Amino acid sequence: MISALKPRLLVLALTLLGGIPDMAAAETVLLARGDDTFGQGWLFLDATGQCRVATPRHVIETSDGKLSTPDLLDSYGRIHPTHTPLTAPDPELDLAFVSVGGQIAREGCSRDRVRLTPLQPIIQSIKQAIVEIATPTERQSIPVALKAVSRDSEGGHMIALAPVDPQAPFQKGMSGGTVTHNGRPIAMLFEVDSEEGVGIAMRYDLIASELQKLAASPAKPIEAKAGSLHNLILLKGRLPQKDMGLSTFLSRESALQIVPAEDRITFVIEMDGSSVIKAVRLQGEGMTGQGSIIVEADNAGQGFSPGARCALLDDTTCTMSPRRVTRLRITLTGSAAATYKINKIDLVKGDT
């Protein structure tokens, strides 16, 4: 359950059972919605080659029933934007998918593919599994015992689990955690009752079936709308407002609000290709007199080199010598008490 939501008790008809270091690695990832609100998801590559995350619908659903675009927090603590959230075709399922773009999609999306292979034989043959959980600081593997499965025509789409160690209970924020067996995802947590110590999970062959239905009408690719930006990666800083992160900023659904961490906000702008840039313009609120903007440039992975340093204003154009770049690293200095609101970021191109 995402941390801002209270657990709900799910009633199932149950049958008792007997008795990135490398981002390319399949893994559970953290979905951040700002304001320290988190949920879980499973990073995978779909049949069309698109990088996606499967997650419970309630993890990305706002209070008015709309779908938000969460930011993805990777195992290095970097925040990446997502786009195009979609619910499962079956409205009765607490299931959604969100697409991942930028650096992860180009270079490090999971090799895992959610498969239609029936999982009933595996689930019937095991008594224990592992729940993979992501937190802002680490990845955790929690041994769990299978307690029950639902009575249905598919042999039990829903599974009840409990931690083997009572000192490691299920908690809020674990919805979307992935149940694995021998490293293979077999189910996804979508309901956590922290008081009873029980979690309810949905089998991944059911999730794959819903994904296959979506493939019949694929979503249109995301278009960058915030100036000339296509992707931002937040390296340092905190998002204080719920549903106001990198993803909503890139889609122009909200401004970007960030609080400095260790007196710094640092993000990287990933370009689609190499471009000649001569200035960076930031427009926002609450920045005048707070500190400086530092621009560093990288071309084709040669390393960041100093570009310019300018006083930070609510409308700042920081100019540097024109240079060809593939990435820009932007650092804003300021105190931990400051909250910067960025309405727009533009990259000013120079002569080629």
Side-chain angles (χ1 to χ4, degrees), residues 215-273:
S217 54
K220 296 181 180 179
I222 188 69
E223 295 182 3
K225 299 179 182 179
S228 53
L229 301 185
H230 291 263
N231 188 49
L232 289 178
I233 303 170
L234 183 62
L235 304 181
K236 187 181 290 289
R238 187 176 67 83
L239 304 174
Q241 297 292 324
K242 188 175 178 180
D243 297 326
M244 294 183 69
L246 300 184
S247 303
T248 55
F249 174 67
L250 286 175
S251 60
R252 275 193 181 169
E253 296 174 35
S254 73
L256 179 59
Q257 293 197 30
I258 316 179
V259 172
E262 299 174 1
D263 299 329
R264 290 287 189 275
I265 292 169
T266 303
F267 54 86
V268 171
I269 298 173
E270 292 274 347
M271 317 286 286
D272 280 343

Side-chain angles (χ1 to χ4, degrees), residues 114-130:
V114 175
R115 291 170 283 181
L116 284 164
T117 308
L119 290 168
Q120 181 186 10
I122 294 177
I123 292 170
Q124 288 182 334
S125 67
I126 62 175
K127 295 182 180 180
Q128 290 192 5
I130 299 293

